[in-house]
Amino acid sequence: MILKHILSCSLILLILIVYESVVVIIDKDLVIRSAKPIKNKTWENWNGEIHISPNAIFEPFTLEDLKDIVKLAKINNKTIRCAAQGHTASSLSVTEHYLVVVTNLNKVKVQNHPKYGWTVTAEAGTSLSDLDETLRNHDPPLTLDSEPLYNTFRVSGVVAVGAHGAKTSSGIMSDQVCSMKIVTGSGKVCEFSEEINKSEFNAAKVNLGLLGIIYSLTFRVQPMYNLRMTDIFVPANEWLNNPQNIKNLLESSDGISIAYWPFNGFNHSDPNPLDPSRDRIEITNWIRTDEPVNFTQQQLKQSYETQRQGVIQQYKLISSNLQNPDAIPNITATLFGSFGNASTVFQAPDAIHYVASEESAKFDFVEIGFKIEPDFSNAAAEFSYVIQTIYEFARKGKFPLNYIADFRIIKSTEALLSFTFNHDPEILPHWGKRWEFIPNVKSYLSDVLSNQIKQFEKVRAKYDPDKIFFDNKSLQDIFSRALDS
Ligand SMILES: Cc1cc2nc3c(=O)[nH]c(=O)nc-3n(C[C@H](O)[C@H](O)[C@H](O)COP(=O)(O)OP(=O)(O)OC[C@H]3O[C@@H](n4cnc5c(N)ncnc54)[C@H](O)[C@@H]3O)c2cc1C
Ligand SMILES: *[C@@H]1O[C@H](CO)[C@@H](O)[C@H](O)[C@H]1NC(C)=O
Ligand SMILES: *[C@@H]1O[C@H](CO)[C@@H](O)[C@H](O)[C@H]1NC(C)=O
Ligand SMILES: *[C@@H]1O[C@H](CO)[C@@H](O)[C@H](O)[C@H]1NC(C)=O
Ligand SMILES: *[C@@H]1O[C@H](CO)[C@@H](O)[C@H](O)[C@H]1NC(C)=O
Ligand SMILES: *[C@@H]1O[C@H](CO)[C@@H](O)[C@H](O)[C@H]1NC(C)=O
Ligand SMILES: *[C@@H]1O[C@H](CO)[C@@H](O)[C@H](O)[C@H]1NC(C)=O
Ligand SMILES: *[C@@H]1O[C@H](CO)[C@@H](O)[C@H](O)[C@H]1NC(C)=O
Ligand SMILES: CC(=O)N[C@H]1CO[C@H](CO)[C@@H](O)[C@@H]1O
């Protein structure tokens, strides 16, 4: 009773009490010294919209720390969730108990593996930029084949949610993983790979933090290569009306992206200022090439600085007009007007992260995955529908999309919980972006993912029978409905 009373009064006290009880309960050799929680009372995700005050926050440095944290959680009957760079907008890191922030775990090791060729093993909190630089400076220079756009993300955050880049054949980044080590509910480290057990590996590849604390990830890597990245601007309606355009582009590229800035044909002196027939789309593709790069690393660094300033300006302009949504078409059209056709050769990682990440620009994202039909007709139709819909909203004075809409096509995966899992053509949201606001999304996901969840649950229950990591309401709701069905 007394303990309970103190707990409800003070967070700091709770942390101290946890420690006292540890010393009392376990013998001296096992005293958990390295797994001290840090003093912070609160943690925020990237855009500050998730703001939590869990019982304790840990920032471990070693594998031993991770094992100790799990042991501590077991002793104190606590649950655990993890965070890496914190760019996920959904509640996946939310917990009332222990939050483990893995950003200090960032050692990297390159190896020539007898089966996979070149591989890189990165501790969970390694940022994509550190990983890229280690590989680039290796002799011979190496690279990952595909990564998400921003290089500030950390490997475990990217893999846990199934994030991806634009390279079509590479799929989600988890598909480049050949093995991973997770500290599971037993407090021991378990390795997952296709060789050890393929079905368990397919659960681990996109695990949403449900199997334990990811300690390290081993990725297959390639000798460094160059990519030619080309941007062209074409009339939106005309291009999208012919699905064959997408098919042709995809078949002649290593990766594609089709981007749309809302209302980019806005013209305030025209009698009809908002007319979708004037809108253009930006078509980007990447093709592997032996041509030399156009810019030195030094020149690129300078251009990133300019880009960052540009992004800060964009963000200021858009966010200062959130109360004045009518201004959005003019703003997005003005921003769009500053781009033009271009074709440039980059080293692979520079072509992949073609936009410098600017952490102060807190854009918010939703992403939906769906299966492409062989003739690509649904791809073109869905994209046109996005454009049509924002004009419908605009007629009602609403401007919900005030930044870019981007469309990529990537290979499906066998990772059970991935939103690109190869199954019937339902749509699925990206776990790492915003999805919980979608009406009835939890029951929808329970239905659509029912079979995958049942398979995943067998693995989850084996590695975390006490549900130490199963501490979030959204996932609990989705799983319990799916398992009851
Ligand atoms: C500006 C922006 C651009 C984006 N661009 C892309 C893109 O191009 N492609 C794409 O696919 N996605 C994109 N995303 C989404 C992004 O890839 C994901 O949010 C990704 O999770 C971010 O990595 P992070 O290190 O910030 O992860 P975090 O948000 O820190 O972690 C995500 C989740 O992973 C789990 N987790 C993290 N570390 C561990 C661990 N060690 N053990 C167990 N579980 C763990 C936790 O459940 C956590 O909630 C973008 C997001 C933003 C904000
Ligand atoms: C905790 O606070 C320190 C200093 O105030 C800060 O550097 C660190 O990033 C914070 N950690 C988390 C997880 O918020
Ligand atoms: C552990 O916590 C759960 C939920 O917080 C509670 O239901 C359970 O009784 C607790 N067990 C012990 C042994 O304290
Ligand atoms: C950009 O490229 C497209 C497609 O090749 C072409 O139609 C258009 O005229 C080009 N625009 C400019 C300004 O050169
Ligand atoms: C905007 O519309 C006016 C009136 O129709 C036209 O004269 C002008 O050329 C248009 N501007 C652009 C950039 O197309
Ligand atoms: C890239 O370099 C080639 C020659 O190496 C040159 O012809 C081309 O104009 C350059 N492109 C850019 C965008 O600078
Ligand atoms: C459009 O935006 C520009 C730059 O933000 C601004 O100077 C201009 O007044 C705006 N025009 C209209 C018609 O809103
Ligand atoms: C692989 O793992 C699954 C799920 O945990 C288990 O049912 C199966 O027996 C395992 N297969 C082998 C070959 O160990
Ligand atoms: C048990 C627990 O901490 N659940 C959290 C899961 O996420 C939701 C939504 O952010 C929180 O409200 C819950 O507290």
Short mmCIF file of all heavy atoms in Angstrom, two decimals, residues 216-252:
data_model
loop_
_atom_site.label_atom_id
_atom_site.label_comp_id
_atom_site.label_asym_id
_atom_site.label_seq_id
_atom_site.Cartn_x
_atom_site.Cartn_y
_atom_site.Cartn_z
N SER A 216 21.14 -6.11 -32.36
CA SER A 216 21.93 -5.81 -33.55
C SER A 216 21.28 -6.39 -34.80
O SER A 216 20.46 -7.31 -34.72
CB SER A 216 23.36 -6.36 -33.41
OG SER A 216 23.32 -7.77 -33.47
N LEU A 217 21.67 -5.83 -35.93
CA LEU A 217 21.12 -6.25 -37.22
C LEU A 217 22.26 -6.43 -38.20
O LEU A 217 23.14 -5.57 -38.29
CB LEU A 217 20.18 -5.17 -37.75
CG LEU A 217 18.91 -4.98 -36.92
CD1 LEU A 217 18.39 -3.56 -37.03
CD2 LEU A 217 17.85 -5.98 -37.35
N THR A 218 22.25 -7.55 -38.92
CA THR A 218 23.27 -7.77 -39.95
C THR A 218 22.61 -7.65 -41.32
O THR A 218 21.64 -8.34 -41.61
CB THR A 218 23.92 -9.16 -39.78
OG1 THR A 218 24.52 -9.19 -38.48
CG2 THR A 218 24.99 -9.39 -40.84
N PHE A 219 23.13 -6.72 -42.13
CA PHE A 219 22.57 -6.45 -43.47
C PHE A 219 23.53 -6.96 -44.53
O PHE A 219 24.74 -6.82 -44.40
CB PHE A 219 22.41 -4.95 -43.70
CG PHE A 219 21.46 -4.26 -42.77
CD1 PHE A 219 21.91 -3.69 -41.58
CD2 PHE A 219 20.12 -4.15 -43.07
CE1 PHE A 219 21.05 -3.02 -40.73
CE2 PHE A 219 19.24 -3.49 -42.22
CZ PHE A 219 19.70 -2.93 -41.05
N ARG A 220 22.96 -7.48 -45.62
CA ARG A 220 23.76 -7.74 -46.82
C ARG A 220 24.09 -6.39 -47.45
O ARG A 220 23.22 -5.52 -47.52
CB ARG A 220 22.93 -8.52 -47.85
CG ARG A 220 22.95 -10.00 -47.67
CD ARG A 220 22.15 -10.64 -48.80
NE ARG A 220 20.73 -10.49 -48.55
CZ ARG A 220 20.00 -11.38 -47.88
NH1 ARG A 220 20.53 -12.49 -47.45
NH2 ARG A 220 18.72 -11.17 -47.69
N VAL A 221 25.32 -6.21 -47.90
CA VAL A 221 25.67 -4.95 -48.57
C VAL A 221 26.33 -5.23 -49.91
O VAL A 221 26.72 -6.37 -50.20
CB VAL A 221 26.56 -4.05 -47.68
CG1 VAL A 221 25.80 -3.58 -46.46
CG2 VAL A 221 27.84 -4.76 -47.25
N GLN A 222 26.44 -4.19 -50.74
CA GLN A 222 26.96 -4.32 -52.11
C GLN A 222 28.24 -3.50 -52.22
O GLN A 222 28.39 -2.52 -51.51
CB GLN A 222 25.99 -3.69 -53.12
CG GLN A 222 24.54 -3.91 -52.87
CD GLN A 222 24.15 -5.31 -53.22
OE1 GLN A 222 24.70 -5.88 -54.17
NE2 GLN A 222 23.27 -5.90 -52.45
N PRO A 223 29.09 -3.86 -53.20
CA PRO A 223 30.16 -2.91 -53.54
C PRO A 223 29.50 -1.59 -53.96
O PRO A 223 28.43 -1.60 -54.57
CB PRO A 223 30.86 -3.57 -54.74
CG PRO A 223 30.51 -5.03 -54.62
CD PRO A 223 29.14 -5.09 -54.01
N MET A 224 30.12 -0.48 -53.60
CA MET A 224 29.56 0.84 -53.92
C MET A 224 29.26 0.96 -55.41
O MET A 224 30.04 0.47 -56.24
CB MET A 224 30.55 1.92 -53.49
CG MET A 224 30.09 3.33 -53.78
SD MET A 224 28.58 3.77 -52.88
CE MET A 224 29.28 4.25 -51.30
N TYR A 225 28.15 1.58 -55.76
CA TYR A 225 27.84 1.84 -57.17
C TYR A 225 27.17 3.20 -57.29
O TYR A 225 26.78 3.80 -56.29
CB TYR A 225 26.97 0.73 -57.76
CG TYR A 225 25.63 0.54 -57.08
CD1 TYR A 225 24.50 1.25 -57.51
CD2 TYR A 225 25.48 -0.34 -56.02
CE1 TYR A 225 23.27 1.08 -56.89
CE2 TYR A 225 24.25 -0.51 -55.40
CZ TYR A 225 23.16 0.20 -55.84
OH TYR A 225 21.95 0.03 -55.22
N ASN A 226 27.06 3.64 -58.54
CA ASN A 226 26.45 4.95 -58.79
C ASN A 226 25.05 4.79 -59.36
O ASN A 226 24.73 3.78 -59.99
CB ASN A 226 27.30 5.75 -59.78
CG ASN A 226 28.64 6.14 -59.18
OD1 ASN A 226 28.84 6.02 -57.97
ND2 ASN A 226 29.55 6.60 -60.02
N LEU A 227 24.23 5.80 -59.11
CA LEU A 227 22.88 5.83 -59.65
C LEU A 227 22.65 7.16 -60.35
O LEU A 227 23.04 8.21 -59.81
CB LEU A 227 21.86 5.69 -58.51
CG LEU A 227 21.68 4.32 -57.87
CD1 LEU A 227 20.88 4.44 -56.56
CD2 LEU A 227 20.96 3.35 -58.82
N ARG A 228 22.05 7.10 -61.50
CA ARG A 228 21.62 8.34 -62.15
C ARG A 228 20.18 8.62 -61.70
O ARG A 228 19.30 7.77 -61.85
CB ARG A 228 21.68 8.23 -63.67
CG ARG A 228 21.05 9.43 -64.38
CD ARG A 228 21.23 9.40 -65.89
NE ARG A 228 22.60 9.69 -66.29
CZ ARG A 228 23.14 10.91 -66.29
NH1 ARG A 228 22.42 11.95 -65.90
NH2 ARG A 228 24.38 11.09 -66.66
N MET A 229 19.99 9.77 -61.12
CA MET A 229 18.67 10.15 -60.66
C MET A 229 18.14 11.25 -61.57
O MET A 229 18.80 12.27 -61.76
CB MET A 229 18.77 10.66 -59.22
CG MET A 229 17.49 11.19 -58.67
SD MET A 229 17.74 11.66 -56.94
CE MET A 229 16.38 12.80 -56.76
N THR A 230 16.97 10.99 -62.16
CA THR A 230 16.41 11.94 -63.13
C THR A 230 15.04 12.40 -62.67
O THR A 230 14.21 11.58 -62.26
CB THR A 230 16.30 11.27 -64.53
OG1 THR A 230 17.59 10.81 -64.90
CG2 THR A 230 15.78 12.23 -65.58
N ASP A 231 14.81 13.70 -62.73
CA ASP A 231 13.49 14.27 -62.39
C ASP A 231 12.92 14.93 -63.63
O ASP A 231 13.59 15.76 -64.24
CB ASP A 231 13.66 15.44 -61.40
CG ASP A 231 13.98 14.97 -60.01
OD1 ASP A 231 13.26 14.12 -59.50
OD2 ASP A 231 14.98 15.49 -59.46
N ILE A 232 11.68 14.57 -63.95
CA ILE A 232 11.00 15.33 -65.01
C ILE A 232 9.62 15.74 -64.50
O ILE A 232 9.03 15.08 -63.64
CB ILE A 232 10.87 14.54 -66.33
CG1 ILE A 232 10.15 13.22 -66.10
CG2 ILE A 232 12.21 14.33 -67.00
CD1 ILE A 232 9.65 12.58 -67.39
N PHE A 233 9.14 16.84 -65.05
CA PHE A 233 7.84 17.38 -64.64
C PHE A 233 6.90 17.29 -65.83
O PHE A 233 7.21 17.80 -66.90
CB PHE A 233 8.03 18.83 -64.18
CG PHE A 233 8.81 18.91 -62.90
CD1 PHE A 233 10.20 18.78 -62.90
CD2 PHE A 233 8.17 19.06 -61.68
CE1 PHE A 233 10.92 18.83 -61.73
CE2 PHE A 233 8.89 19.11 -60.49
CZ PHE A 233 10.28 18.99 -60.52
N VAL A 234 5.80 16.59 -65.63
CA VAL A 234 4.87 16.35 -66.74
C VAL A 234 3.44 16.64 -66.28
O VAL A 234 3.15 16.60 -65.08
CB VAL A 234 4.97 14.89 -67.25
CG1 VAL A 234 6.34 14.60 -67.83
CG2 VAL A 234 4.64 13.90 -66.15
N PRO A 235 2.51 16.89 -67.24
CA PRO A 235 1.11 17.14 -66.85
C PRO A 235 0.52 15.92 -66.14
O PRO A 235 0.62 14.80 -66.64
CB PRO A 235 0.41 17.38 -68.19
CG PRO A 235 1.50 17.75 -69.15
CD PRO A 235 2.73 17.03 -68.68
N ALA A 236 -0.08 16.15 -64.97
CA ALA A 236 -0.52 15.05 -64.12
C ALA A 236 -1.60 14.18 -64.78
O ALA A 236 -1.44 12.97 -64.92
CB ALA A 236 -1.02 15.59 -62.79
N ASN A 237 -2.69 14.82 -65.20
CA ASN A 237 -3.82 14.05 -65.74
C ASN A 237 -3.42 13.20 -66.93
O ASN A 237 -3.71 12.01 -67.00
CB ASN A 237 -4.96 14.98 -66.19
CG ASN A 237 -5.74 15.48 -65.00
OD1 ASN A 237 -5.58 14.96 -63.89
ND2 ASN A 237 -6.56 16.49 -65.22
N GLU A 238 -2.73 13.87 -67.85
CA GLU A 238 -2.35 13.22 -69.09
C GLU A 238 -1.48 11.99 -68.82
O GLU A 238 -1.71 10.91 -69.35
CB GLU A 238 -1.58 14.26 -69.90
CG GLU A 238 -1.53 14.04 -71.38
CD GLU A 238 -0.70 15.19 -71.99
OE1 GLU A 238 -1.08 16.37 -71.80
OE2 GLU A 238 0.34 14.88 -72.61
N TRP A 239 -0.48 12.17 -67.95
CA TRP A 239 0.47 11.09 -67.69
C TRP A 239 -0.21 9.94 -66.95
O TRP A 239 -0.02 8.78 -67.27
CB TRP A 239 1.66 11.62 -66.89
CG TRP A 239 2.88 10.75 -67.01
CD1 TRP A 239 3.80 10.78 -68.00
CD2 TRP A 239 3.28 9.72 -66.10
NE1 TRP A 239 4.77 9.84 -67.77
CE2 TRP A 239 4.47 9.17 -66.61
CE3 TRP A 239 2.78 9.21 -64.92
CZ2 TRP A 239 5.16 8.13 -65.98
CZ3 TRP A 239 3.45 8.18 -64.29
CH2 TRP A 239 4.63 7.65 -64.81
N LEU A 240 -1.03 10.27 -65.97
CA LEU A 240 -1.65 9.22 -65.15
C LEU A 240 -2.78 8.51 -65.88
O LEU A 240 -3.16 7.40 -65.51
CB LEU A 240 -2.18 9.82 -63.84
CG LEU A 240 -1.10 10.29 -62.86
CD1 LEU A 240 -1.72 11.10 -61.73
CD2 LEU A 240 -0.32 9.10 -62.28
N ASN A 241 -3.32 9.17 -66.94
CA ASN A 241 -4.40 8.52 -67.68
C ASN A 241 -3.96 7.26 -68.39
O ASN A 241 -4.79 6.42 -68.74
CB ASN A 241 -4.98 9.49 -68.72
CG ASN A 241 -6.18 10.22 -68.16
OD1 ASN A 241 -6.75 9.75 -67.17
ND2 ASN A 241 -6.53 11.34 -68.74
N ASN A 242 -2.67 7.11 -68.60
CA ASN A 242 -2.18 5.92 -69.28
C ASN A 242 -1.30 5.10 -68.33
O ASN A 242 -0.12 5.39 -68.16
CB ASN A 242 -1.39 6.34 -70.52
CG ASN A 242 -0.91 5.12 -71.30
OD1 ASN A 242 -1.21 3.98 -70.92
ND2 ASN A 242 -0.16 5.36 -72.36
N PRO A 243 -1.87 4.04 -67.71
CA PRO A 243 -1.11 3.25 -66.73
C PRO A 243 0.17 2.66 -67.32
O PRO A 243 1.12 2.37 -66.59
CB PRO A 243 -2.08 2.13 -66.33
CG PRO A 243 -3.43 2.59 -66.75
CD PRO A 243 -3.24 3.54 -67.89
N GLN A 244 0.19 2.50 -68.64
CA GLN A 244 1.38 1.96 -69.29
C GLN A 244 2.61 2.86 -69.03
O GLN A 244 3.73 2.38 -69.00
CB GLN A 244 1.10 1.84 -70.80
CG GLN A 244 2.17 1.10 -71.61
CD GLN A 244 2.23 -0.40 -71.28
OE1 GLN A 244 1.20 -0.99 -70.94
NE2 GLN A 244 3.42 -0.98 -71.34
N ASN A 245 2.36 4.15 -68.81
CA ASN A 245 3.47 5.07 -68.51
C ASN A 245 4.21 4.61 -67.26
O ASN A 245 5.44 4.65 -67.20
CB ASN A 245 2.95 6.49 -68.27
CG ASN A 245 2.59 7.18 -69.57
OD1 ASN A 245 3.14 6.86 -70.62
ND2 ASN A 245 1.66 8.13 -69.51
N ILE A 246 3.45 4.20 -66.23
CA ILE A 246 4.09 3.76 -64.98
C ILE A 246 4.85 2.47 -65.24
O ILE A 246 5.99 2.30 -64.80
CB ILE A 246 3.04 3.54 -63.86
CG1 ILE A 246 2.22 4.82 -63.64
CG2 ILE A 246 3.73 3.10 -62.57
CD1 ILE A 246 1.24 4.72 -62.48
N LYS A 247 4.20 1.57 -65.97
CA LYS A 247 4.82 0.27 -66.24
C LYS A 247 6.14 0.46 -67.00
O LYS A 247 7.17 -0.11 -66.62
CB LYS A 247 3.85 -0.59 -67.05
CG LYS A 247 4.25 -2.02 -67.12
CD LYS A 247 3.12 -2.92 -67.60
CE LYS A 247 3.52 -4.35 -67.38
NZ LYS A 247 3.26 -5.23 -68.49
N ASN A 248 6.11 1.27 -68.04
CA ASN A 248 7.32 1.50 -68.84
C ASN A 248 8.43 2.09 -67.99
O ASN A 248 9.59 1.68 -68.07
CB ASN A 248 7.04 2.45 -70.01
CG ASN A 248 6.12 1.82 -71.03
OD1 ASN A 248 5.90 0.61 -71.02
ND2 ASN A 248 5.56 2.65 -71.92
N LEU A 249 8.05 3.07 -67.17
CA LEU A 249 9.05 3.73 -66.33
C LEU A 249 9.68 2.72 -65.36
O LEU A 249 10.90 2.65 -65.21
CB LEU A 249 8.37 4.87 -65.54
CG LEU A 249 9.28 5.65 -64.62
CD1 LEU A 249 10.21 6.55 -65.43
CD2 LEU A 249 8.46 6.50 -63.64
N LEU A 250 8.82 1.92 -64.75
CA LEU A 250 9.30 0.95 -63.76
C LEU A 250 10.24 -0.06 -64.41
O LEU A 250 11.28 -0.42 -63.86
CB LEU A 250 8.10 0.23 -63.12
CG LEU A 250 8.45 -0.58 -61.89
CD1 LEU A 250 8.66 0.34 -60.70
CD2 LEU A 250 7.33 -1.57 -61.57
N GLU A 251 9.84 -0.53 -65.60
CA GLU A 251 10.63 -1.57 -66.25
C GLU A 251 11.98 -1.07 -66.74
O GLU A 251 12.89 -1.86 -66.96
CB GLU A 251 9.82 -2.19 -67.41
CG GLU A 251 8.78 -3.15 -66.86
CD GLU A 251 7.77 -3.65 -67.88
OE1 GLU A 251 7.83 -3.24 -69.07
OE2 GLU A 251 6.91 -4.46 -67.49
N SER A 252 12.11 0.25 -66.89
CA SER A 252 13.40 0.76 -67.35
C SER A 252 14.19 1.42 -66.22
O SER A 252 15.14 2.15 -66.46
CB SER A 252 13.18 1.76 -68.49
OG SER A 252 12.34 2.80 -68.04
#
